[in-house]
Amino acid sequence: MSLLTIDKVSYQYSGTTKVVLNKISAVFNGGKLYTIMGKSGSGKTTLLSLISGLDTCTDGSINYNGNPLSQIDRDNYRAESIGVIFQGYNLLTNATAVENIVLSMNISKAKDVNKKKVAYELLEKVGIDKETADRKILKLSGGEQQRVGIARALSHNPKIIIADEPTGNLDSDTEKNIMSILTSLAHDDHKCVIVVTHSKKVSTYADVLLGLNRGSLDSIN
């Protein structure tokens, strides 16, 4: 059984006739890095919202472990099964890096006995040492903030990681570092990593490359 499937999904905004997604289908599994490429306005963010359970499709079905998202508790799904990495980081800037991770663990009701210890370990996994982990987000570079964002997405050990333009605000060298981390999460930790991007460089890291254009989703490999 596939981890995540998109089955003939369509989406249009309420009260309009514009079709954003038109009967798209795709299959996602652990151990692979997927990239979805598309121009601005192609529906990439809408698709991520549907995959993450923040919105529901007009027609069709998105299924997690064979169960339609429309029939499961989507709050639990977001808290336990999926982690999100944002282009703009979306971190609490007046809190430290480690505090951001612990807060995320508290929100997701993680059962770790020593959450702070686990938070330091997650940050170390993505290249943030203890000294940097104890600094406020405002004092960190963009690349460091995105590493914290990845650690936060991992804080409840989800099977699926989705990243919305994760390198859009970063320089070329930092982009390479971030994509190496995401590739390792797929290949070494057997996560299902889905990256939405318009960057051709980022797309070269993909095991499976998909293109979103005029409401259609097609394999480019």
Side-chain angles (χ1 to χ4, degrees), residues 66-82:
N67 300 306
L69 295 189
S70 60
Q71 296 178 19
I72 65 175
D73 188 323
R74 296 205 308 277
D75 289 334
N76 284 344
Y77 167 72
R78 287 192 297 271
E80 297 174 0
S81 303
I82 194 163

Side-chain angles (χ1 to χ4, degrees), residues 35 37 179 197 199-209:
T35 60
M37 292 194 70
M179 289 310 301
T197 185
S199 167
K200 290 185 178 179
K201 283 186 179 179
V202 169
S203 72
T204 63
Y205 290 85
D207 298 303
V208 179
L209 177 57

Side-chain angles (χ1 to χ4, degrees), residues 156-209:
H156 50 287
N157 195 27
K159 293 183 178 180
I160 302 170
I161 299 288
I162 59 175
D164 188 3
E165 300 281 5
T167 64
N169 295 330
L170 306 177
D171 60 53
S172 180
D173 287 340
T174 307
E175 176 181 81
K176 290 179 183 177
N177 293 333
I178 294 301
M179 289 310 301
S180 292
I181 293 171
L182 294 177
T183 301
S184 176
L185 290 174
H187 296 169
D188 299 332
D189 295 352
H190 206 68
K191 304 289 186 186
C192 172
V193 180
I194 304 171
V195 178
V196 160
T197 185
H198 65 268
S199 167
K200 290 185 178 179
K201 283 186 179 179
V202 169
S203 72
T204 63
Y205 290 85
D207 298 303
V208 179
L209 177 57

Side-chain angles (χ1 to χ4, degrees), residues 31 37 76 86 94 96 102 111 118-119 123 134 163 197 213 216 221:
M37 292 194 70
N76 284 344
F86 302 93
N94 285 318
T96 65
V102 171
K111 297 178 181 178
V118 173
L123 288 163
D134 287 330
T197 185
N213 184 41
S216 296
N221 281 9

Side-chain angles (χ1 to χ4, degrees), residues 119-138:
Y120 280 123
E121 291 171 350
L122 285 171
L123 288 163
E124 184 178 6
K125 180 182 179 70
V126 298
I128 297 291
D129 60 28
K130 189 175 185 302
E131 181 180 349
T132 307
D134 287 330
R135 290 164 57 193
K136 290 191 174 182
I137 296 298
L138 283 171

